[in-house]
């Protein structure tokens, strides 16, 4: 029996070289008028916000505020798969800039547009992993190896992170959650991060990361 397809209308915030993962929090400093409106609307309506890496730049952003609100916002073409979450407004500066945090919940795949002005909203489909019970043992082994490598990397300059990585809470985290949250401690090329984000299994993500960490 085919599983039900889960969709959501999601506001898109394309930012070059920014790839976010479920279970992580993304801080944003928002100053462009249309994106200030996007963020405020998401807060007011409790709409999901996606922060997306980009495929390419389409055009330069309008310099004039009125033009920015009245023209197609697709300055950048977003990647097809991204994380989305709820927005928390942290602070507003005297000149109107917004400081926000986006708590990423799930991955979604881009679908048809529901709105294009003054910012883009699309109907997106939830992305889930395929079950691979035959790889659970290998994935658990890789998880142990990856965590040990993270502890080694953090040992010289981040004792607090070492404590977290050695905690029972972290060690007992859900495998799917672990396979994404480990990237909050590591930074790679955005295209590599996007490749990992699009993978459809915990095993694939662990294998790919371990290949890099053990090189």
């Amino acid at each position: 029996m085919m599983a039900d397809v889960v969709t959501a209308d999601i506001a898109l915030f394309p930012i070059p070289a920014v790839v976010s993962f479920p279970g992580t929090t993304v801080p944003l400093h928002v100053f462009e008028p249309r994106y200030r409106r996007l963020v405020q609307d998401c807060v007011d309506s409790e709409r999901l916000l996606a922060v997306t890496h980009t495929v390419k730049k389409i055009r330069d952003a309008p310099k004039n505020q009125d033009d920015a609100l009245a023209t197609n916002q697709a300055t950048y073409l977003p990647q097809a798969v991204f994380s989305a979450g709820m927005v928390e407004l942290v602070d507003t500066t005297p000149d109107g800039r917004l400081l926000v945090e986006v708590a990423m919940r799930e991955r979604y795949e881009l679908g048809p547009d529901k709105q294009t002005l003054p910012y883009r909203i699309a109907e997106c489909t939830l992305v889930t992993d395929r079950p691979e019970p035959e790889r659970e043992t290998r994935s658990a082994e890789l998880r142990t190896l990856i965590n040990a490598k993270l502890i080694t990397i953090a040992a010289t300059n981040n004792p607090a992170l070492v404590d977290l990585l050695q905690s029972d809470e972290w060690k007992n985290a859900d495998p799917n959650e672990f396979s994404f949250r480990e990237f909050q401690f590591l930074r790679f090329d955005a295209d590599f991060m996007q490749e990992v984000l699009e993978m459809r299994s915990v095993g694939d993500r662990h294998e790919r990361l371990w290949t890099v960490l053990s090189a």
Side-chain angles (χ1 to χ4, degrees):
M1 183 175 180
M2 184 176 294
D4 293 336
V5 176
V6 178
T7 63
D9 291 347
I10 299 175
L12 305 180
F13 195 154
I15 306 176
V18 174
V19 179
S20 57
F21 292 92
T24 65
T25 299
V26 179
L28 296 175
H29 177 193
V30 186
F31 51 87
E32 190 175 340
R34 62 184 170 197
Y35 292 127
R36 293 206 304 262
R37 180 179 292 187
L38 178 157
V39 166
Q40 191 62 60
D41 288 351
C42 285
V43 171
D44 293 342
S45 63
E46 298 185 343
R47 182 185 301 279
L48 289 171
L49 171 66
V51 178
T52 78
H53 180 32
T54 57
V55 178
K56 64 180 180 179
K57 185 176 182 179
I58 298 175
R59 61 176 65 83
D60 290 330
K63 303 297 183 183
N64 179 277
Q65 177 170 323
D66 292 337
D67 290 343
L69 293 174
T71 58
N72 192 311
Q73 65 86 43
T75 306
Y76 294 98
L77 182 66
Q79 290 281 351
V81 175
F82 39 76
S83 296
M86 300 304 295
V87 185
E88 178 184 357
L89 180 60
V90 177
D91 195 14
T92 302
T93 66
D95 60 358
R97 289 171 289 139
L98 304 179
L99 304 179
V100 304
E101 292 182 344
V102 187
M104 295 301 175
R105 291 182 173 179
E106 303 281 358
R107 293 175 295 166
Y108 289 86
E109 185 169 8
L110 184 64
D113 285 343
K114 303 296 287 289
Q115 170 183 304
T116 58
L117 294 173
Y119 54 82
R120 187 175 179 183
I121 296 175
E123 182 182 17
C124 304
T125 304
L126 183 70
V127 173
T128 58
D129 283 344
R130 60 181 181 273
E132 293 183 319
E134 72 282 0
R135 298 178 69 183
E136 287 181 0
T137 299
R138 172 60 176 166
S139 291
E141 292 173 351
L142 288 173
R143 173 172 174 163
T144 299
L145 291 170
I146 290 168
N147 207 52
K149 178 67 75 170
L150 291 175
I151 290 171
T152 300
I153 293 170
T156 57
N157 58 11
N158 197 337
L161 177 55
V162 172
D163 289 343
L164 170 62
L165 297 172
Q166 292 178 330
S167 69
D168 289 339
E169 178 185 2
W170 177 251
K171 291 178 180 179
N172 296 327
D174 175 80
N176 181 280
E177 178 186 0
F178 180 93
S179 72
F180 287 125
R181 286 191 59 200
E182 59 201 5
F183 285 93
Q184 74 189 42
F185 313 122
L186 299 164
R187 285 294 173 265
F188 297 103
D189 173 85
D191 291 335
F192 171 83
M193 302 276 276
Q194 183 68 34
E195 174 192 344
V196 172
L197 181 69
E198 295 179 12
M199 290 178 173
R200 301 299 178 97
S201 81
V202 171
D204 286 348
R205 290 192 290 276
H206 281 163
E207 292 282 4
R208 188 71 177 93
L209 178 56
W210 181 242
T211 297
V212 173
L213 290 180
S214 61

